[in-house]
Amino acid sequence: MDDTKSALTSTGVWGSVIALLGAFAPLILPAVGLKTAGDQQAAVAITSQLVTGIGAALALYGRLAATKRIV
């Protein structure tokens, strides 16, 4: 692991960003037009779990498959 790369080209970094979006879904969804409490609750439950899970899995994969250090 002697080579380096930009943080923006890191799968692990992008996975972490996606997981953060899942965590912030309750704040983001009302801004995109979901106004009723029932719609928001259902969308938040599904979206945040899916996005957080996908992001975490991507971050873990990126870290395990890494061949270059991030600068």
Side-chain angles (χ1 to χ4, degrees), residues 27-35:
L27 302 173
I28 297 169
L29 291 174
V32 296
L34 292 173
K35 302 294 183 197

Side-chain angles (χ1 to χ4, degrees), residues 8 10 20 26-27 31 36-39 51-52 56-57 60-64 66-67 70-71:
L8 294 178
S10 169
L20 281 173
L27 302 173
T36 66
D39 288 346
V51 173
T52 303
L60 180 60
Y61 168 76
R63 184 64 261 158
L64 294 175
T67 58
I70 299 172
V71 288

